[in-house]
Amino acid sequence: MTDKPTPADWKALAEKEVRGKDLDWHTPEGFTIKPLYTGEDVAEDPGLPGFAPFTRGVRASMYAGRPWTIRQYAGFSTAEESNAFYRRNLAMGQKGLSVAFDLATHRGYDSDHPRVVGDVGKAGVAIDTVADMQILFDQIPLDQMSVSMTMNGAVIPVLAFFIVAAERQGVSQDKLDGTIQNDILKEFMVRNTYIYPPEPSMRIVSDIIAYTSANMPKFNSISISGYHMHEAGATAVQELAFTIADGKEYAQRAMAAGLDIDAFAGRLSFFFGIGMNFFMEVAKLRAARTLWWRVMDGLGAKSERSKMLRTHCQTSGVSLQEQDPYNNVIRTTIEALASVLGGTQSLHTNALDEAIALPTDFSARIARNTQLVIQEESGICNVVDPLGGSYYVEALTKQLVDDAWALIEEVDAAGGMTAYVGTGKPKAAIETAAAQKQTGIDRGETVIVGVNKYRKAEEDPIDTLDIDNHAVRESQIARLKAVRAGRDEAACQAALKALTEAAAADPRAARAALADGRDDKGVPLPPSVIEEMRAKGDINLLARAVECARHDATLGEISAAMEAAFGRYDTMPRPVKGIYASAYAGDSRYAQVVEGVEAVARRLGRKPKIMVAKMGQDGHDRGANVIASAFADMGFDVLSGPLFQTPQETCAMALENGVDAVGCSSLAAGHKTLIPELIELLREAGRADIKVVAGGVIPPQDYEFLKRAGVQGIYGPGSNVVECAADMLRLLGHNMPPAGEEINEAAE
């Protein structure tokens, strides 16, 4: 009998087979992944499902007892259209609703507000009133259906509308089941659909936790989201650490507001994005449960339910590609499998066409059936944590836990996540990771099938869903007028005034006055302060907003009532620098572009100046920041416009700064309204010479419309950033050769 081969024996044999090639793989997280893992790499027993630290699952039986909930994140156009879509999906096997709201709603604007002309109904459903919410859930019994709502900025009016719509359906608050995202910290890092500054925003989070704990025992008061960090380019370590740190901060704020941790922690839930590094994503969910158990145990939670991380997952939107889009079905299937093998509690699978438009019924059915096939045909549900004990998965899980915990300790040292967000470090770290990922794709080091390898000579057309933004907006405006005309105006305004007063009040003083008459240091409050605060009664913002909703105040009015006390928050983008220059050092094509920029600069007597513009209420700025970062590295003078501009504001900024071109980043389907308006404004100002290009999620069938409107370049998902820069040089009159050809110096 021969001796058992050792890992050293394997390594020698493998290196001989591949002639000394380095088999190690280096991930964006900085992990060096070996080609073989053995028992020597697993130092700890991961335990059993249903037992602390819940690495292997929060329930002992997991899917063998009950499969995950199939959700489809959907909403578009009007409440009527979305309701019909929901009911069709529920009839075909969907188990829960996950509502997508349009960007006007997210940002606290009614549909008749002049800032949202291009946004109404385009990237989600428009909700202006309780009447809209009632229509959205028509014939959907809210005492039987779990409803998840992705809402953060305008979370107070949206949740108030949901509560009052249920009341009008005859369903009391205590019977409502579902989740409100209510995760504002990640908005300041990546997604940017905030309204108020960080501190009052954190008060809103705490007030919702307090209200739901007292009145809605089945409802999850917060869904702490790593998904949007994932989509913005975060590594798995960053997504884990910042998401868990966000959750810790919310728990601490709720405890500071006087809530017992075990009274609310069991209704905190999480939301993670799932990408294409299959085993990393499986390990990420397992690591998240371990980390959350550690955090909650450290905060003094006694109930095991308080320490269980329960999560929803969504397959990645960034991994979806415009080119050869049926490959997206395969990508989504791989990501769905990773989330299931990682132990998610519910799942949304993206549709194949979501890289370019909202899903059609056809694509949504494929996305939903992907989950049904996994549940019903694969046998995966019959075994709990089937990858548990895998040498590779356990080693990855441990490394993720250790690295994420080190980053969480860095956040703690900064004073917690609110303070850490204020430093700008998490946003900068995620943007750096995003730029590094994009350079890998552009250079072909990260293969995207059908995009930078195995690309078709000509793309096949695909049907996509198009929303008539103008028609939706007009119908919403008509309903707004009807609601305002039919309400008791005096009662409505009184409720709104009471909300503003509550927002302006000091919640700490109110809690002290309503409790024992002492401040948070134990010092007795003056009798006049106690009397004043007790006269105001409950200043919980959600409680006051529910009263506004009962009197048919609109979403914009409720948001404005709080804005009167809190103000509105704005920031300027600050893209990272040096990532492209470092990644492309020695690359001949990159050098050609840099030389081209220098040639144009010599001709103009200055650097060519490009404005990167984000018009409308879409806050997703990953693409815009990557472009700004890369173009600056290549020598362009780059002006990053602020988020949420109108075409008028973009035009004024472009004229004031003397730009040569404006690059419009569009991810929310407002391109057919906002970009043509910008071009017309530039023409009216006598500056038709300023080039306007567009990039982002733009369906190919819209290209001709945009070109007729005057757009001179269109760059969809999968576009190579260096080639985009080369094309920009051509638009600016430089004789830039195609890739692989030398510059014709005589033409200069």
Side-chain angles (χ1 to χ4, degrees):
M1 182 176 178
T2 59
D3 292 335
K4 182 179 179 181
T6 67
D9 295 329
W10 170 86
K11 184 177 181 182
L13 179 59
E15 288 179 347
K16 180 180 179 182
E17 290 175 351
V18 296
R19 296 184 177 87
K21 178 184 176 183
D22 181 9
L23 293 176
D24 288 345
W25 171 33
H26 305 285
T27 75
E29 291 76 18
F31 294 2
T32 297
I33 304 298
K34 303 183 298 182
L36 179 71
Y37 284 78
T38 69
E40 296 176 4
D41 297 293
V42 181
E44 296 179 8
D45 184 346
L48 294 170
F51 292 89
F54 307 109
T55 306
R56 301 194 65 187
V58 293
R59 289 164 47 217
S61 59
M62 287 301 289
Y63 309 142
R66 185 182 70 186
W68 67 93
T69 300
I70 298 173
R71 295 188 187 275
Q72 289 301 98
Y73 178 54
F76 55 88
S77 183
T78 61
E80 291 92 341
E81 289 290 329
S82 292
N83 173 260
F85 184 81
Y86 292 160
R87 287 194 282 118
R88 289 196 299 271
N89 279 8
L90 291 171
M92 295 301 295
Q94 184 176 313
K95 302 300 183 184
L97 294 178
S98 187
V99 182
F101 298 94
D102 75 355
L103 289 164
T105 303
H106 273 287
R107 293 271 293 148
Y109 294 116
D110 287 332
S111 295
D112 58 358
H113 197 285
R115 297 196 74 86
V116 299
V117 172
D119 295 299
V120 177
K122 291 298 285 186
V125 60
I127 298 293
D128 295 315
T129 62
V130 174
D132 288 333
M133 194 71 84
Q134 287 178 270
I135 294 168
L136 187 67
F137 296 113
D138 182 42
Q139 300 181 58
I140 298 173
L142 293 177
D143 56 347
Q144 301 174 34
M145 181 60 60
S146 171
V147 177
S148 174
M149 292 179 285
T150 301
M151 178 53 63
N152 301 285
V155 63
I156 287 284
V158 164
L159 188 50
F161 287 176
F162 179 67
I163 290 167
V164 175
E167 288 177 353
R168 294 179 181 179
Q169 199 184 85
V171 178
S172 59
Q173 297 181 32
D174 62 305
K175 292 183 172 62
L176 293 175
D177 186 9
T179 303
I180 188 79
Q181 192 161 95
N182 191 29
D183 175 11
I184 200 62
L185 284 173
K186 66 97 172 43
E187 300 294 334
F188 294 109
M189 283 188 273
V190 289
R191 191 164 176 252
N192 300 312
T193 52
Y194 42 68
I195 301 175
Y196 315 109
E199 278 301 328
S201 295
M202 289 298 289
R203 178 188 164 187
I204 286 171
V205 173
S206 297
D207 278 10
I208 289 173
I209 292 173
Y211 185 94
T212 54
S213 293
N215 301 288
M216 304 166 69
K218 297 170 64 178
F219 199 81
N220 297 319
S221 55
I222 189 168
S223 175
I224 303 145
S225 175
Y227 179 85
H228 302 95
M229 301 179 205
H230 178 278
E231 294 297 270
T235 66
V237 170
Q238 290 168 343
E239 182 184 357
L240 272 174
F242 296 153
T243 305
I244 298 298
D246 280 354
K248 182 177 182 179
E249 182 91 342
Y250 295 135
Q252 289 174 316
R253 292 296 183 111
M255 292 165 69
L259 294 177
D260 176 70
I261 189 169
D262 288 315
F264 67 83
R267 288 189 300 280
L268 302 182
S269 65
F270 286 79
F271 175 27
F272 287 101
I274 305 296
M276 286 296 288
N277 187 346
F278 184 84
F279 291 103
M280 186 72 77
E281 299 298 342
V282 172
K284 183 176 75 181
L285 297 185
R286 302 171 92 251
R289 290 191 289 272
T290 303
L291 289 164
W292 185 241
W293 177 86
R294 188 182 293 182
V295 164
M296 297 305 285
D297 190 62
L299 291 178
K302 299 293 187 289
S303 166
E304 289 299 279
R305 178 170 169 77
S306 297
K307 304 176 191 179
M308 295 178 183
L309 181 144
R310 296 163 302 111
T311 189
H312 171 70
C313 289
Q314 181 173 341
T315 59
S316 174
V318 170
S319 70
L320 302 178
Q321 303 298 326
E322 175 185 8
Q323 296 82 6
D324 208 358
Y326 288 101
N327 289 338
N328 292 335
V329 177
I330 305 161
R331 296 184 178 106
T332 295
T333 302
I334 291 170
E335 292 167 350
L337 279 169
S339 66
V340 168
L341 291 171
T344 189
Q345 277 61 65
S346 66
L347 176 62
H348 164 78
T349 33
N350 287 328
L352 67 96
D353 48 2
E354 288 188 69
I356 50 179
L358 291 167
T360 61
D361 278 6
F362 170 78
S363 64
R365 178 180 172 82
I366 294 173
R368 181 186 62 252
N369 286 354
T370 298
Q371 295 195 53
L372 289 171
V373 169
I374 294 172
Q375 275 192 5
E376 302 290 349
E377 299 184 29
S378 69
I380 283 175
C381 291
N382 299 325
V383 177
V384 180
D385 190 27
L387 290 182
S390 157
Y391 299 142
Y392 179 33
V393 169
E394 299 299 353
L396 269 183
T397 301
K398 176 67 164 56
Q399 190 165 4
L400 283 169
V401 167
D402 291 346
D403 285 24
W405 189 253
L407 189 47
I408 290 169
E409 290 181 324
E410 181 180 317
V411 173
D412 288 342
M417 202 63 196
T418 304
Y420 196 64
V421 166
T423 68
K425 289 182 179 179
K427 185 174 181 63
I430 291 170
E431 288 180 2
T432 298
Q436 289 170 336
K437 285 182 181 180
Q438 189 60 46
T439 61
I441 294 169
D442 288 348
R443 289 173 58 82
E445 295 161 354
T446 301
V447 173
I448 310 293
V449 174
V451 176
N452 61 6
K453 195 172 184 180
Y454 312 114
R455 185 158 183 173
K456 298 178 68 175
E458 184 176 337
E459 296 293 333
D460 297 325
I462 182 171
D463 290 333
T464 56
L465 181 66
D466 187 30
I467 303 297
D468 187 341
N469 163 244
H470 297 286
V472 174
R473 188 165 184 264
E474 288 304 313
S475 70
Q476 288 300 118
I477 290 173
R479 186 174 296 136
L480 275 165
K481 289 179 178 177
V483 167
R484 289 173 180 146
R487 70 190 183 188
D488 182 333
E489 190 64 27
C492 180
Q493 293 304 321
L496 289 167
K497 181 181 178 183
L499 177 58
T500 299
E501 291 173 349
D506 182 348
R508 290 171 298 181
R511 286 194 298 273
L514 294 171
D516 60 1
R518 297 175 182 270
D519 66 16
D520 52 5
K521 295 181 180 179
V523 178
L525 293 167
S528 59
V529 172
I530 295 174
E531 182 179 349
E532 177 189 357
M533 297 309 301
R534 287 180 175 170
K536 288 181 177 179
D538 185 1
I539 60 166
N540 183 285
L541 295 173
L542 180 54
R544 293 282 176 104
V546 168
E547 287 303 309
C548 294
R550 286 170 178 153
H551 291 291
D552 288 309
T554 70
L555 176 132
E557 290 168 341
I558 293 173
S559 296
M562 291 187 291
E563 186 180 339
F566 295 154
R568 185 172 275 267
Y569 185 75
D570 290 303
T571 58
M572 284 289 290
R574 292 180 176 83
V576 296
K577 298 178 180 178
I579 303 300
Y580 265 75
S582 174
Y584 275 88
D587 183 90
S588 60
R589 182 56 169 173
Y590 185 86
Q592 280 186 341
V593 173
V594 171
E595 290 168 7
V597 174
E598 292 170 350
V600 172
R602 288 193 296 271
R603 173 163 53 84
L604 296 176
R606 57 171 175 79
K607 291 182 177 182
K609 194 165 191 176
I610 311 298
M611 178 179 178
V612 179
K614 286 288 296 183
M615 294 185 291
Q617 298 303 306
D618 172 39
H620 293 87
D621 58 356
R622 170 181 177 159
N625 288 337
V626 166
I627 292 294
S629 174
F631 274 51
D633 280 3
M634 287 182 271
F636 288 89
D637 184 358
V638 178
L639 174 67
S640 289
L643 297 173
F644 315 124
Q645 283 191 318
T646 64
Q648 292 81 2
E649 289 165 343
T650 299
C651 177
M653 191 171 186
L655 296 174
E656 180 182 347
N657 288 275
V659 305
D660 301 299
V662 179
C664 301
S665 174
S666 175
L667 276 82
H671 52 272
K672 291 174 72 175
T673 301
L674 300 172
I675 299 176
E677 185 176 349
L678 170 64
I679 293 171
E680 186 57 35
L681 289 167
L682 290 171
R683 287 172 177 164
E684 291 173 0
R687 292 302 310 274
D689 60 301
I690 294 178
K691 316 297 182 186
V692 176
V693 299
V697 180
I698 301 174
Q701 54 265 45
D702 290 350
Y703 283 16
E704 190 57 37
F705 170 90
L706 292 174
K707 289 175 181 177
R708 288 198 304 269
V711 174
Q712 298 191 42
I714 303 172
Y715 312 101
S719 296
N720 183 289
V721 175
V722 176
E723 291 307 319
C724 291
D727 200 49
M728 178 60 71
L729 290 173
R730 295 187 196 100
L731 291 176
L732 296 177
H734 179 67
N735 185 23
M736 191 71 202
E741 294 184 15
E742 295 298 320
I743 294 176
N744 181 358
E745 295 290 346
E748 288 302 322

